[in-house]
């Protein structure tokens, strides 16, 4: 019995039921064009969730307006975390960027800021992400290639030269050595006279997803979660504007997971950090307002929108009802979105501009707080200035021309969108139960649970491409023969590596080595003592010009290095 | 010896790992007879260790730690890592090697992955050959690591000098494992993940089971390890060496090696026979049409030509099974 | 009684690149096509990859690189294969590799470079054909 007052579905009239019967008859009698490989017709989302041909009031009859939908800015935030959303303030246009050395990246930052970008986002190179200096043997061939090389505080000072860190917010995408990057950022700002309390931005730092998906780890899980809790304590006390962690699903999706897996695994990771911090004695309301999330926006338009809405609702409910948070700011899931790298193709790369536009729109209709749009050439190399400009303009057209920003949660109330949002929430809850059966996220990681799910999903997806159950334009349909790349690509020269190696050696040669040794020894002692916080000794070490590689070595000496078990 | 085998032998004798690798490939292809003839006399100096246990107990991690210990003791090591093959495609992803990653650039560690290829025993047919070649190549220690499903635990005991059975607490496998057969083949028991709350209980269970048996000579040792941390691995190495020492001084080594030799001859003969017998059965039954005779008659007809060559069959198969190292108390 | 041994292929990840989605999908596909696949794990140095290929008597080595460091790592592996007398092994790869880099790598001796989006069937067909040839040659 549908409650007219609180339900979503109106009580259908007799005439409506007649219409439904007629439609069903016509639908059943239609020759099946379904499931012909290559036709694009399907009854499933890209993540294999079932789809009906048409949705109606019966699909949302079980939902309650006040309980499940409410209003923007009202618990459970399904419709958005702010009451005004983009009418008050657009999402932050934050293009992830970094390459070569700090000087080159600094130039790119000035360019982006002048073109209307509203926040900075730092991409580091592989050696920096993995904790190696630019002259380490493991860094060979990798310096400056997929991000900027930052070996010490000196590099960070150059990176932000001429940029007022008190005015701009910065997102740093780094995980294994995240605490070191944070220390370098704080030290850099203070060296320019900006107090740490004024600094705003985000550190990705989410190590759990590294073990699951991205594989940029250094230390084993338990010591690393301790480091994260230390960072949370430090920021709560000293950097109130700083988002301590960006709990990420983007990489989980890039590794091949489904949308539901991305949703469930990301939130599970988030809750694991919440539990760890609470276990360490932090009051949930003291740190929860500064947690943030990072999702993927893939090409299945409606599935992504529903995923974002489901995420907000699940998070709000758990934070309030399970973890007992009292501050509404602890209930709101704030997130950054990046369009799906794995949906881009090397074939006919211009098509990626179109894909990015759709994915960006899904992110906006899903209520994201900040957005990065990929450049069309990112499948092949880091983006050129021109391509990154197009990516930024994509956001600007979306924001200023399409008018989707001026009605909040315009898809709210859609039978399809509400039904799918609810379905995704249910499936995520199923996953939470399964993870609990393992004893928690870390135990599930050790058992290979997530990795197994992801490997299966990505293999199934690949097979669906091979069989043409799924179509990718230019790849398994509408291909062009004799494809020749006409687009310009960004090339990183070898002299970057040589220059950077020389520079880091210079830093080592010109500093007070006794000071560095002392600082590292103090750091090691702090690492070994769980009651101490590692952040202050890290800041001292970077101020003494210890390089990232040296600091990582010192910490590995205490925590050990992680080794994974490959799961297929 | 054909050209190809000669080439392999040349590389092998020059100490080139390609030679060893290709010899093992010849064994996997069933074509190692000539090479074995040349190389078998050079084998017998290595100690062969079998490591087995249910999936997930940490065998590979333990093996890696054991290799490290052996290296520290100055020994060169060969590892044969046996993984199951897919029954459908006959392909396999051989994933154990990855656990030995820290040894990948060590010239004195030779690692070979093998797929079980539907071999009934679970152990790849060519495992024994690979171990012999590694031995002949000059490696001091040969480690055979297999996942314990089916009868592979028994098989490994037939090939190795020292058999190590690895278990983990809290998995419910322990009861399964301590079924007849496993208890009697282990020379060393390892309880891995020794910091697990149920580790001591498993230890007690194993000891309890051992209490019910009388051991012929060597009483199996029990070692607690935490393979991930490398804890207990030195003790394991010591236990293995102690067993090797026992084998030498007691004269059991010769007997065990003779049993292993017999096992391999049997495997070769039965393997060769199987295919040919099947073809004969094909002829007798499928091609000739329905027979009026009963299965015993048909079988006897097939065996008839062999009557002259083989000793009579009898009910007692005790000569085939390994001499029991233990027997149930009261029933000796 | 020589029998047909399945083809043996190493699937390798080198350098600091942790993106193993493609490598794992290919490993599974090769397995389903009846081959024995040895996955090296992440963060391998070229020497480690080649030592593995030699010990496993591999017919082919497939290297996946998505970090941009391909112009260093592929040539390093080629050099090692040459130094160890293992040039008969079919060395191929894939990743985020632009067309002109791919052409250069092939000129240096890499047998084939597959760009993102290459169908699995194409890769499997290549491996079966080329590794099959190598097997015939070497035995």
């Amino acid at each position: 019995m549908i409650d007219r007052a609180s339900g979503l579905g109106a009580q259908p009239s007799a005439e409506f039921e007649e219409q439904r019967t007629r439609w069903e008859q016509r639908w059943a009698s239609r020759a099946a064009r379904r499931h012909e490989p290559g036709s694009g017709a399907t009854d499933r989302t890209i993540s294999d969730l079932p789809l009906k041909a048409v949705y109606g009031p019966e699909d949302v009859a079980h939902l309650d307006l006040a309980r499940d939908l409410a209003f923007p800015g009202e618990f459970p935030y399904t419709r958005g975390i702010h009451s005004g959303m983009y009418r008050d303030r657009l999402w932050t246009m934050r293009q992830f960027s970094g390459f070569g050395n700090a000087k080159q990246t600094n130039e790119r930052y000035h360019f982006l800021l002048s073109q209307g970008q509203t926040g900075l986002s730092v991409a580091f190179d592989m050696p920096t992400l993995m904790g190696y200096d630019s002259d380490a043997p493991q860094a060979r061939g990798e310096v400056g290639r997929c991000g900027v090389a930052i070996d010490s505080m000196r590099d960070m000072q150059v990176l932000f030269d001429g940029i007022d860190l008190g005015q701009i917010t910065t997102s740093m995408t780094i995980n294994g050595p995240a605490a070191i990057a944070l220390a370098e950022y704080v030290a850099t700002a203070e060296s320019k006279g900006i107090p740490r309390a004024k600094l705003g931005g985000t550190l990705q730092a989410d190590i759990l997803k590294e073990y699951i998906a991205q594989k940029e780890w250094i230390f084993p899980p338990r010591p690393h979660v301790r480091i994260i809790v230390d960072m949370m304590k430090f920021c709560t006390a000293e950097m109130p504007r700083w988002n301590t962690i960006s709990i990420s699903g983007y990489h989980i999706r890039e590794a091949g997971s489904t949308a539901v897996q991305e949703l469930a695994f990301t939130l599970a990771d988030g809750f694991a950090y919440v539990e760890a911090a609470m276990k360490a004695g932090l009051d949930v309301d003291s740190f929860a307002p500064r947690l943030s999330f990072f999702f993927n926006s893939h090409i299945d338009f409606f599935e992504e929108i529903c995923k974002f809405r489901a995420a907000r609702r699940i998070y709000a409910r758990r934070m309030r009802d399970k973890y007992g948070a009292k501050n509404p700011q602890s209930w709101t899931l704030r997130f950054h979105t990046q369009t799906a790298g794995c949906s881009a193709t090397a074939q006919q790369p211009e098509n990626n501009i179109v894909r990015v536009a759709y994915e960006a729109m899904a992110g906006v209709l899903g209520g994201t707080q900040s957005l990065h749009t990929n450049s069309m050439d990112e499948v092949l190399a880091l983006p050129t200035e021109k391509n990154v400009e197009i990516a930024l303009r994509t956001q600007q057209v979306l924001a200023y021309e399409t008018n989707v920003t001026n009605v909040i949660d315009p898809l709210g109330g859609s039978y399809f969108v509400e039904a799918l949002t609810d379905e995704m929430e249910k499936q995520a809850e199923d996953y939470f139960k399964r993870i609990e059966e393992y004893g928690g996220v870390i135990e599930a990681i050790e058992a290979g649970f997530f990795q197994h799910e992801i490997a299966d999903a990505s293999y199934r997806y690949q097979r669906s491409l091979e069989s043409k159950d799924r179509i990718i334009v230019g790849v398994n349909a509408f291909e062009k023969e004799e494809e020749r790349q006409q687009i310009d690509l960004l090339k990183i020269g070898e002299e970057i590596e040589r220059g950077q190696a020389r520079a880091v050696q210079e830093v080592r040669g010109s500093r007070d080595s006794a000071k560095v040794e002392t600082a590292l020894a103090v750091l090691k002692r702090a690492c070994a003592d769980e009651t101490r916080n590692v952040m202050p000794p890290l800041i001292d070490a970077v101020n003494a010009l210890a390089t990232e590689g040296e600091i990582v070595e010192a910490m590995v000496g205490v925590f050990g290095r992680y080794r994974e078990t490959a799961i297929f | 010896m054909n050209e190809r085998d000669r080439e392999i032998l040349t590389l092998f004798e020059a100490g080139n790992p390609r030679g060893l690798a290709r010899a093992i490939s010849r064994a996997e292809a069933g074509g190692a007879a000539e090479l074995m003839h040349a190389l078998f006399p050079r084998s017998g100096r290595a100690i062969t260790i079998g490591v087995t246990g249910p999936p997930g107990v940490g065998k590979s991690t333990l093996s890696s730690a054991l290799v490290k210990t052996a290296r520290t003791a100055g020994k060169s090591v060969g590892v044969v890592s046996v993984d199951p093959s897919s029954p459908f495609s006959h392909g396999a992803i051989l994933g154990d090697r990855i656990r030995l990653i820290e040894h990948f650039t060590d010239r004195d560690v030779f690692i070979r992955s093998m797929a079980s290829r539907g071999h009934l025993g679970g152990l790849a047919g060519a495992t024994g050959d690979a171990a012999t070649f590694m031995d002949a190549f000059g490696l001091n220690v040969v480690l055979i690591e297999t996942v314990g499903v089916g009868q592979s635990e028994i098989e490994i005991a037939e090939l190795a000098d020292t058999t190590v059975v690895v278990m983990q607490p809290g998995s419910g496998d322990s009861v399964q494992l301590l079924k007849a057969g496993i208890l009697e083949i282990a020379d060393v028991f390892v309880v891995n993940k020794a910091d697990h709350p149920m580790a001591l209980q498993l230890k007690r269970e194993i000891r309890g089971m051992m209490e019910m048996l009388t051991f012929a000579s060597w009483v199996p040792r029990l070692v607690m390890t935490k393979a991930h941390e490398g804890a207990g691995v030195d003790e394991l190495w010591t236990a293995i060496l102690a067993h090797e020492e026992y084998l030498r001084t007691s004269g059991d080594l010769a007997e065990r090696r003779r049993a292993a030799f017999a096992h391999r001859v049997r495997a070769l003969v039965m393997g060769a026979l199987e295919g040919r017998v099947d073809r004969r059965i094909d002829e007798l039954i499928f091609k000739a049409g329905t027979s009026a005779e009963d299965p015993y008659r048909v079988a006897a007809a097939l065996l008839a030509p062999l009557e002259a060559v083989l000793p009579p069959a009898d009910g007692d198969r005790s000569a085939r099974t390994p001499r029991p190292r233990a027997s149930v108390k009261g029933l000796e | 009684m020589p029998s047909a041994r399945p083809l043996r292929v190493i699937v390798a990840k080198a350098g600091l690149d942790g993106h193993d989605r493609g490598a794992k999908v290919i490993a599974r596909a090769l397995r389903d096509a009846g081959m024995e696949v040895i996955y090296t794990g992440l963060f391998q140095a070229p020497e480690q990859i080649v030592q593995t290929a030699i010990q496993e008597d591999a017919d082919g080595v497939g290297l996946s690189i998505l970090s941009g460091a391909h112009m260093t790592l592929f040539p390093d592996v080629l050099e090692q294969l040459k130094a160890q007398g293992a040039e008969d092994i079919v060395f191929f790869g894939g990743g985020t590799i632009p067309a002109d880099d791919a052409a250069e790598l092939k000129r240096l001796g890499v047998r084939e470079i597959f760009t993102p989006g290459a169908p699995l069937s194409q890769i499997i067909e290549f491996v079966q054909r080329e590794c099959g040839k190598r097997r015939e040659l070497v035995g």
Side-chain angles (χ1 to χ4, degrees):
Chain A
M1 175 64 179
I2 300 161
D3 180 338
R4 197 182 284 151
S6 63
L8 252 163
Q11 184 81 9
S13 64
E15 187 186 349
F16 186 72
E17 289 304 324
E18 269 168 49
Q19 289 171 337
R20 181 208 299 285
T21 312
R22 274 202 300 277
W23 182 84
E24 279 171 357
Q25 283 167 347
R26 269 188 240 126
W27 179 254
S29 69
R30 179 170 297 136
R33 128 188 126 100
R34 328 227 45 77
H35 310 306
E36 257 166 50
S39 70
T42 176
D43 287 330
R44 309 197 80 85
T45 66
I46 210 179
S47 300
D48 246 12
L49 292 177
L51 290 174
K52 293 173 65 169
V54 124
Y55 285 74
E58 69 281 4
D59 296 302
V60 296
H62 60 291
L63 297 174
D64 181 295
L65 283 171
R67 183 194 68 199
D68 301 317
L69 225 60
F71 273 81
E74 286 290 320
F75 186 93
Y77 306 102
T78 315
R79 308 198 71 182
I81 58 169
H82 300 305
S83 29
M85 286 304 290
Y86 308 129
R87 290 189 62 120
D88 288 346
R89 201 166 71 112
L90 288 173
W91 65 89
T92 307
M93 299 186 191
R94 195 186 291 280
Q95 295 295 88
F96 186 52
S97 184
F99 56 90
N101 58 30
K103 187 151 192 328
Q104 285 174 308
T105 305
N106 177 261
E107 279 161 17
R108 177 61 70 89
Y109 285 164
H110 281 287
F111 170 72
L112 287 168
L113 290 169
S114 74
Q115 291 303 307
Q117 179 164 310
T118 43
L120 290 178
S121 177
V122 186
F124 298 93
D125 71 357
M126 285 310 301
T128 306
L129 291 172
M130 302 299 286
Y132 295 105
D133 290 338
S134 300
D135 61 341
Q138 295 90 338
R140 194 168 131 64
E142 312 246 20
V143 176
R145 289 212 177 271
C146 67
V148 65
I150 302 287
D151 290 315
S152 71
M153 186 182 139
R154 280 269 163 75
D155 288 323
M156 210 168 256
Q157 284 168 322
V158 172
L159 185 66
F160 294 112
D161 190 32
I163 296 173
D164 183 356
L165 294 179
Q167 293 301 317
I168 212 93
T169 58
T170 304
S171 168
M172 292 196 285
T173 301
I174 187 162
N175 295 279
I180 301 169
L182 181 61
E184 284 169 348
Y185 190 79
V186 170
T188 298
E190 291 183 335
S191 77
K192 295 179 196 254
I194 299 159
R196 54 183 72 163
K198 239 189 143 196
L199 296 174
T202 307
L203 196 59
Q204 195 169 88
D206 169 13
I207 199 64
L208 291 175
K209 66 101 167 45
E210 297 302 328
Y211 304 115
I212 293 171
Q214 187 169 234
K215 327 259 168 155
E216 287 169 13
W217 55 62
I218 305 178
F219 321 110
R222 286 164 226 277
H224 202 118
V225 172
R226 173 272 175 103
I227 295 173
I228 289 179
V229 174
D230 276 1
M231 280 197 288
M232 286 166 78
K233 286 187 189 156
F234 179 80
C235 293
T236 301
E238 310 211 26
M239 296 175 69
R241 295 186 64 214
W242 190 264
N243 297 317
T244 47
I245 186 168
S246 179
I247 300 150
S248 307
Y250 178 81
H251 321 80
I252 294 175
R253 194 63 184 276
E254 293 291 300
S257 84
T258 63
V260 170
Q261 289 167 348
E262 180 194 344
L263 174 65
F265 297 172
T266 309
L267 289 173
D269 285 347
F271 297 137
Y273 292 124
V274 168
E275 286 172 22
M278 288 174 75
K279 194 151 170 242
L282 286 175
D283 173 58
V284 64
D285 286 313
S286 71
F287 66 84
R290 281 281 151 217
L291 298 176
S292 65
F293 286 80
F294 172 28
F295 287 113
N296 195 304
S297 188
H298 210 292
I299 196 70
D300 187 317
F301 189 69
F302 288 106
E303 185 176 58
E304 296 301 287
I305 294 167
C306 296
K307 177 185 80 186
F308 301 129
R309 301 169 93 250
R312 278 194 293 272
R313 189 158 74 202
I314 296 170
Y315 188 74
R317 288 175 168 165
R318 285 219 166 192
M319 289 308 283
R320 188 188 73 175
D321 301 335
K322 180 169 183 197
Y323 297 110
K326 306 254 179 323
N327 180 351
Q329 302 237 9
S330 301
W331 306 334
T332 52
L333 186 152
R334 298 173 306 134
F335 67 99
H336 169 76
T337 302
Q338 177 166 343
T339 59
C342 59
S343 69
T345 61
Q347 298 84 336
Q348 303 171 39
E350 293 86 349
N351 297 337
N352 295 325
I353 298 175
V354 179
R355 295 187 177 100
V356 166
Y358 294 141
E359 290 164 352
M361 183 173 275
V364 165
L365 291 175
T368 190
Q369 278 57 63
S370 132
L371 180 62
H372 165 100
T373 35
N374 286 339
S375 304
M376 70 172 181
D377 50 355
E378 275 183 72
V379 187
L380 298 163
L382 290 179
T384 57
E385 206 171 80
K386 172 156 181 284
N387 291 332
V388 100
E389 189 185 84
I390 295 176
L392 185 58
R393 296 286 178 251
T394 303
Q395 294 199 44
Q396 288 160 339
V397 168
L398 182 56
Y400 294 104
E401 295 185 27
T402 66
N403 216 19
V404 303
T405 54
N406 290 312
V407 172
I408 303 165
D409 188 38
L411 292 174
S414 146
Y415 301 125
F416 172 37
V417 167
E418 296 303 347
L420 189 55
T421 301
D422 189 58
E423 177 62 25
M424 291 183 84
E425 180 177 5
K426 284 201 175 61
Q427 294 215 8
E429 289 288 341
D430 280 343
Y431 266 117
F432 295 151
K433 275 197 202 69
R434 287 169 73 182
I435 294 164
E436 254 149 70
E437 276 162 27
Y438 279 96
V441 169
I442 292 185
E443 289 80 358
I445 289 173
E446 287 167 349
F449 169 69
F450 302 106
Q451 299 91 312
H452 217 105
E453 292 285 303
I454 293 170
D456 276 350
S458 75
Y459 193 63
R460 272 198 314 270
Y461 178 75
Q462 187 63 35
R463 294 249 88 132
S464 73
L465 292 180
E466 304 284 318
S467 64
K468 301 210 182 188
D469 277 334
R470 286 270 155 226
I471 294 297
I472 298 185
V473 171
V475 173
N476 63 355
F478 309 107
E479 300 127 280
K480 265 163 52 175
E481 285 211 29
E482 294 302 308
E483 277 262 2
R484 215 157 282 278
Q485 267 156 244
Q486 305 288 12
I487 55 178
D488 290 318
L489 294 171
L490 184 71
K491 296 272 183 175
I492 306 289
E494 298 223 338
E495 64 283 359
I496 294 290
E497 183 162 328
R498 281 195 294 271
Q500 195 63 21
R502 265 198 311 272
V504 70
Q505 278 151 13
E506 234 165 274
V507 167
R508 284 199 212 107
S510 63
R511 64 194 179 176
D512 179 349
S513 354
K515 208 166 160 222
V516 173
E517 257 184 69
T518 314
L520 291 176
V522 171
L523 174 63
K524 284 182 86 151
R525 280 201 296 278
C527 289
D529 181 354
E530 280 196 25
T531 66
R532 305 261 316 272
N533 191 311
V534 300
M535 284 310 299
L538 275 173
I539 296 176
D540 287 340
V542 307
N543 267 316
L545 290 178
T547 66
E548 189 203 41
E550 289 166 340
I551 297 175
V552 166
E553 265 315 300
M555 296 174 82
V556 165
V558 179
F559 297 131
R561 235 178 233 283
Y562 181 71
R563 284 247 171 78
E564 79 151 348
T565 308
I567 306 282
F568 290 86
Chain B
M1 184 176 280
N2 64 34
E3 168 86 51
R4 182 174 45 190
D5 283 349
R6 241 192 305 272
E7 246 180 70
I8 295 175
L9 195 57
T10 310
L11 287 169
F12 192 102
E13 288 174 333
N16 186 330
R18 292 219 83 186
L20 174 55
R22 290 178 61 194
I24 295 174
S25 297
R26 293 291 286 137
E28 290 196 289
E34 293 296 313
L35 283 168
M36 188 59 77
H37 184 72
L39 295 172
F40 190 79
R42 303 185 212 185
S43 69
R45 287 167 304 171
I47 68 175
T48 312
I49 306 167
V51 178
T52 185
V57 297
K59 284 186 304 299
S60 301
T61 314
L62 192 65
S63 296
S64 187
L66 209 50
V67 171
K68 196 164 169 190
T69 308
R71 292 293 297 125
T72 313
K75 308 284 180 198
S76 57
V77 185
V79 181
V80 183
S81 225
V82 185
D83 257 318
S85 314
S86 159
F88 304 109
S89 68
H90 303 293
I93 296 182
L94 307 177
D96 283 336
R97 185 189 182 101
I98 228 181
R99 239 60 71 77
L100 294 142
I101 233 174
E102 62 184 298
H103 305 290
F104 277 14
T105 29
D106 187 341
R107 296 276 155 171
D108 285 316
V109 178
F110 188 102
I111 303 164
R112 179 67 173 235
S113 312
M114 283 190 153
S116 62
R117 298 202 187 147
H119 185 86
L120 283 172
L123 221 72
T127 307
D129 293 349
T132 302
F133 287 151
M134 287 178 172
D135 185 345
F137 193 70
L139 298 169
N140 306 127
V141 176
V142 175
L143 204 114
I144 306 173
E145 191 215 314
T146 92
V147 66
V149 284
Q151 293 303 296
S152 59
E153 297 102 335
I154 315 282
E155 269 227 72
I156 214 176
E158 310 221 27
L159 284 178
D161 296 333
T162 303
T163 304
V164 177
V165 174
V166 187
M167 284 178 274
Q168 71 177 341
S171 65
D173 286 332
S174 52
V175 177
Q176 283 281 64
L177 268 188
L178 299 175
K179 65 192 184 226
I182 305 310
L183 209 50
E184 283 88 319
I185 64 146
D187 297 308
V188 181
F189 284 104
V190 173
V191 172
N192 194 25
K193 304 183 191 174
D195 48 353
H196 192 283
M198 299 187 61
L200 280 178
Q201 177 166 331
L202 178 57
K203 182 178 178 180
R204 271 183 244 123
E205 272 177 79
I206 298 170
R207 287 234 185 274
M209 298 263 182
M210 282 170 61
E211 293 291 302
M212 296 196 291
L213 302 171
T214 312
F215 290 92
S217 36
W218 168 264
V219 178
R221 300 265 175 104
L222 194 152
V223 178
M224 311 288 287
T225 62
K226 287 187 260 180
H228 263 111
E229 297 167 31
V233 184
D234 284 341
E235 284 83 348
L236 175 58
W237 180 246
T238 306
I240 292 169
L241 290 180
H243 183 250
E244 293 287 326
E245 179 61 30
Y246 151 76
L247 286 175
R248 267 195 299 276
T249 54
S250 67
D252 265 5
L253 183 62
E255 190 184 315
R256 192 166 288 200
R257 294 216 172 150
R258 201 161 28 230
F261 189 93
H263 174 76
R264 290 173 68 185
V265 170
R266 184 174 189 279
L268 285 169
V269 169
M270 293 308 210
L273 275 181
E274 216 179 320
R276 298 166 79 173
V277 165
D278 279 342
R279 255 190 299 247
R280 186 79 185 110
I281 291 176
D282 236 28
E283 287 164 14
L284 288 175
I285 298 166
F286 291 102
K287 297 198 174 129
T290 336
S291 168
E293 298 189 310
D294 64 84
Y296 283 90
R297 279 288 158 82
V298 179
L302 199 154
L303 284 170
L306 291 173
E307 289 298 333
V309 200
L310 293 172
D314 54 21
D316 174 16
R317 302 168 127 192
S318 61
R320 265 210 307 120
T321 54
R323 189 176 71 127
R325 307 178 198 179
S327 41
V328 180
K329 276 187 180 140
L331 297 178
E332 299 95 326
Chain C
M1 19 158 205
S3 57
R5 263 196 314 133
L7 293 174
R8 298 195 114 212
V9 181
I10 313 285
V11 171
K13 292 290 303 173
L16 299 173
D17 169 26
H19 298 93
D20 55 7
R21 172 182 183 171
K24 285 186 173 175
V25 166
I26 289 187
R28 271 172 85 148
L30 293 175
R31 191 244 346 246
D32 288 350
M35 301 184 218
E36 287 177 359
V37 180
I38 292 120
Y39 175 63
T40 62
L42 295 167
F43 316 129
Q44 296 293 290
E47 310 85 69
Q48 292 174 311
I49 294 171
V50 174
Q51 169 135 319
T52 298
I54 286 176
Q55 290 180 352
E56 301 289 354
D57 196 20
D59 298 297
V61 174
L63 177 61
S64 152
I65 303 210
L66 286 98
S67 62
H70 48 274
M71 293 312 286
T72 307
L73 293 167
F74 273 92
D76 279 357
V77 172
L78 277 170
E79 211 183 286
Q80 286 289 322
L81 286 169
K82 194 184 281 184
Q84 313 266 13
E87 284 172 294
D88 55 289
I89 298 179
V90 178
F91 179 38
F92 63 99
T96 43
I97 301 174
D100 50 353
D101 284 353
E104 175 62 15
L105 289 176
K106 284 166 78 165
R107 206 187 56 78
L108 291 172
V110 181
R111 299 283 186 94
E112 188 58 83
I113 296 282
F114 295 100
T115 42
L120 284 179
S121 51
Q122 186 185 42
I123 300 174
I124 292 172
E125 200 243 341
F126 166 84
V127 174
Q128 278 170 335
R129 189 183 64 237
E130 295 300 314
C131 291
K133 279 192 225 161
R134 183 260 178 192
R135 180 62 74 82
E136 235 145 88
L137 220 64
V138 174

